[in-house]
Amino acid sequence: MRHLRSLLPDELKLLMAERGEPAYRAAQIFSWCSRGVSHYDQMTNLPQELRQWLAEQFILTEPRILCRQVSAKDGTVKYLFGLYDGHAVESVLMQYEHGRSLCISSQVGCRMGCRFCASTVGGLVRNLEAGELLDQMLFAAQDSGRRIDSLVLMGIGEPFDNYDNVVRFFRLVGHSDGVGLGLRHISVSTCGLVPEIDRFAGEGLPITLSISLHAPNNALRDEMMPINRRHSVEEVVAAGHRYAERTGRRVYFEYVMIAGQNDGEREARALGALLKGNLCHVNLIPLNPVRDKAQKSSDRTAIARFQRVLCACGVRSTVRRRLGEDIEAACGQLRRSEIELGFWEDDRPDGATEEP
Ligand code: SAH
């Protein structure tokens, strides 16, 4: 069965036409879906018989919040959402000066294998459907009672490994008859799937692209990110520049800072040389240590030195603020702890509060 919330207005129109229903039914259904209703009974302007038929054909999901953790430090809220088939994904709601941003997941698990990332432990379980991406936004907004101003696809999964559903989701969430989120308020992050980056540049969607680079040379990136054996540093950077040229939008290169591994002056100079003169920006992300993995975050001094070298090369960079540090807000960590230990373990980090 398909998710009702995955359908675009034109598809609903076709469906209604096939059933001999008036065209305005499609708009009514799309509007209910975009408002996040969870029961067909709530679609009060649809005839009973149509509601019945929809219920037989489509899944209409309801919010299942398996776990909600609120950071005592900065108010960041981390959700673990249960899916209709018993799996779970995470979303993180962050408060910035310019509004509220939700980080959403694109897959259950991930098969990219980045060494420092929790999402990839256990591999890929399945792709999320477009409607399940939308659910994360609707249900986080419902639960928090707040409007969500921007979205980042930086949760669990590799968005471009689930390309069609992700692009469908952008068309759903940006549709003016639905949620109507401006696509300029969305960022998507990829570990560097070059063919999909090029394809995405041709979609005509004004979305910000982030590329997880994390190393300035192939020897190091091979070690950190298995995907580098398929698409090298040079190819990935070139794809980023093609995206910037084609869309006119600045590309963000993410660089996770791992002590003693990729944070030296030599790496900074190599990165500066690689990116110099291009429409891009580097986001330096202090590593969020993952349980059972030995790597540590670079310290302030190393990060500041790295940034100074980039600056001297004319490459702009920002150090990503750490939000939700006390609630393990790095990729895939809540889902992992749920799988391994259950929710109600006592060893929750200090300062984290939790509401069932
Ligand atoms: N698969 C996509 C999006 C998900 S991860 C990608 O690779 O871009 C979002 C970002 O968080 C990526 O840059 C990823 O490399 C980074 N990340 C993963 N694990 C991390 C950790 N433990 N600490 C800090 N950043 C991490």
Side-chain angles (χ1 to χ4, degrees), residues 83-134:
L83 305 173
Y84 70 93
D85 59 358
H87 294 301
V89 289
E90 302 172 11
S91 314
V92 182
L93 184 58
M94 295 160 288
Q95 175 73 58
Y96 289 101
E97 272 156 36
H98 53 268
R100 267 170 231 98
S101 180
L102 184 72
C103 173
I104 62 173
S105 296
S106 56
Q107 296 179 311
V108 183
C110 182
R111 57 175 173 166
M112 296 296 132
C114 300
R115 303 275 180 257
F116 46 85
C117 181
S119 305
T120 207
V121 184
L124 176 68
V125 178
R126 71 168 173 88
N127 282 330
L128 290 187
E129 290 187 34
E132 293 177 306
L133 279 114
L134 189 59

Side-chain angles (χ1 to χ4, degrees), residues 103 106 110 112 114 116-119 153-159 188-192 210-214 225 254-257 285-290 320 330-331 333:
C103 173
S106 56
C110 182
M112 296 296 132
C114 300
F116 46 85
C117 181
S119 305
L153 272 75
M154 291 191 187
I156 299 170
E158 165 50 44
V188 61
S189 179
T190 176
C191 64
S210 290
I211 299 178
S212 298
L213 194 59
H214 304 326
M225 305 174 71
E254 287 155 282
Y255 197 98
V256 61
M257 300 291 293
I285 315 170
L287 179 80
N288 256 311
V290 174
R320 178 86 53 83
C331 306
Q333 297 195 10

